[in-house]
Amino acid sequence: MTILFYSETDDPEPWRQAFAEQLPDIGFRVWPDIGDVRAVRYALVWKPKAGLLATLPSLRAILALGAGVDPIIEDASWSRSVPLVRLVDAGLAQQMSEYALYGVLHFHLRMDRYAQQQADGKWNQLPPVLAKDRTVGVAGLGVLGGDCAAKLASQGFRVIGWSRRARSLPGIETFEGEAGWPAFLRHTEILVNFLPLTAETRGLLDRNAFAQLPRGACIINIARGPHVNEADLIAALDSGHLGGALLDVFRTEPLPADHLFWHHPKVIVTPHVAAQTVAELAVSQVIDNIRRIERGESPLGLVDPHRGY
């Protein structure tokens, strides 16, 4: 029995060492050195090539190296009879909350405005806005979004949240479903996107959504690139309706060299770094899930392929 590791960005060596120490009876192979495909029982993967998983006839589970699993779900060759398991937190929540807090503070303190003033050689003090008077909207209130919302609220911001289904978080006003989306947007000055990528959320952040945000609102996207209609975002920034955007994820990654985001004066680009899987924090969860499956139990983080998360 072997586990196949596939990732073009993650170092396999910490994982190899952990499996050797904790599950020495399971062989560990790194793609493309698959060996006997019939021996592969588990695939530990991040953005596997389309069709790869279908070549493994003995799979008991697909274990994602992150919280997002849309590249696997979108692979038409993936057999839905094989369980798909995502990481649940494993250090991702802390990283994403730190990134979101930086972004919120950046726009809240008008650091984008001060950077432009520095470039123009202008000394102009902008009037302060207290955190309690700044409304931050968190879209997506699962493990990651809920953690971020709570941490932003602890910094004194007025935090509101939106999710597809009703959620209750202490001290945070929440909205849900299609009926609650417009009201959530109308009150949101800084929007932080934590939504899972599903058929319902793909392209959700478009011209209609941007138009409902207050003038000067800012966007922070750390979920998935296809949530955002990129042309609509550029138009909203150029018109002055939106004040700025901090983007960590994109429809095409790496972001093409000729993309307008690279040099847009109101856009900050980072290369999908808001939450990176750290082996020492995630490996215990992966190994525990393999042990659960071997005992005939349900793993933590089991994905519903119909919901997409």
Side-chain angles (χ1 to χ4, degrees), residues 2-301:
T2 64
I3 183 166
L4 175 65
F5 183 97
Y6 180 102
S7 174
E8 296 184 14
T9 56
D10 297 276
D11 181 2
E13 292 312 311
W15 295 91
R16 189 195 305 274
Q17 181 177 345
F19 273 87
E21 293 172 353
Q22 300 182 49
L23 290 176
D25 294 334
I26 297 182
F28 189 92
R29 289 185 172 272
V30 179
W31 186 90
D33 180 23
I34 297 178
D36 183 357
V37 295
R38 295 168 298 178
V40 178
R41 297 293 189 271
Y42 298 95
L44 180 59
V45 299
W46 179 246
K47 294 186 177 180
K49 293 182 180 296
L52 171 63
L53 298 172
T55 67
L56 308 173
S58 305
L59 273 184
R60 292 181 183 172
I62 302 162
L63 308 165
L65 280 163
V69 293
D70 40 287
I72 298 172
I73 289 177
E74 292 168 2
D75 183 354
S77 67
W78 165 48
S79 171
R80 271 49 177 176
S81 64
V82 179
L84 172 59
V85 183
R86 62 183 177 88
L87 286 181
V88 179
D89 191 358
L92 302 179
Q94 177 67 23
Q95 292 182 66
M96 295 189 84
S97 291
E98 289 174 356
Y99 186 103
L101 181 58
Y102 160 76
V104 168
L105 289 172
H106 178 85
F107 292 123
H108 169 63
L109 296 173
R110 276 83 59 87
M111 289 301 172
D112 52 334
R113 298 270 299 277
Y114 285 121
Q116 186 58 55
Q117 287 185 185
Q118 179 179 349
D120 296 339
K122 293 182 179 179
W123 181 279
N124 180 33
Q125 296 176 336
L126 302 173
V129 178
L130 300 179
K132 70 179 182 64
D133 297 323
R134 179 77 72 192
T135 301
V136 181
V138 177
L141 297 174
V143 172
L144 303 178
D147 180 79
C148 176
K151 287 175 177 171
L152 287 168
S154 74
Q155 298 301 307
F157 291 102
R158 177 177 180 250
V159 180
I160 61 176
W162 181 85
S163 55
R164 298 293 297 180
R165 296 173 179 81
R167 299 266 187 171
S168 178
L169 296 175
I172 295 171
E173 183 181 4
T174 58
F175 302 81
E176 68 274 348
E178 291 184 17
W181 181 240
F184 167 77
L185 293 174
R186 284 198 303 271
H187 291 91
T188 294
E189 297 174 273
I190 302 175
L191 174 62
V192 188
N193 181 34
F194 276 90
L195 290 169
L197 183 62
T198 67
E200 291 76 19
T201 63
R202 183 179 294 271
L204 185 64
L205 298 178
D206 61 5
R207 68 180 65 187
N208 293 325
F210 300 146
Q212 294 178 76
L213 291 167
R215 186 171 182 82
C218 298
I219 305 290
I220 300 170
N221 188 21
I222 49 180
R224 286 290 178 265
H227 284 130
V228 174
N229 183 307
E230 296 180 348
D232 288 357
L233 176 56
I234 290 172
L237 291 167
D238 288 345
S239 72
H241 185 73
L242 293 185
L246 170 58
L247 307 174
D248 187 56
V249 289
F250 307 90
R251 286 182 174 271
T252 301
E253 296 184 5
L255 188 64
D258 60 351
H259 200 290
L260 294 177
F261 283 155
W262 280 115
H263 304 291
H264 197 288
K266 292 184 178 180
V267 175
I268 302 172
V269 168
T270 57
H272 205 143
V273 295
Q276 301 179 73
T277 301
V278 179
E280 66 177 285
L281 300 177
V283 70
S284 60
Q285 185 178 135
V286 171
I287 288 177
D288 177 63
N289 272 334
I290 290 176
R291 288 173 172 158
R292 284 172 175 266
I293 294 169
E294 290 295 306
R295 294 194 300 263
E297 301 172 4
S298 181
L300 301 177

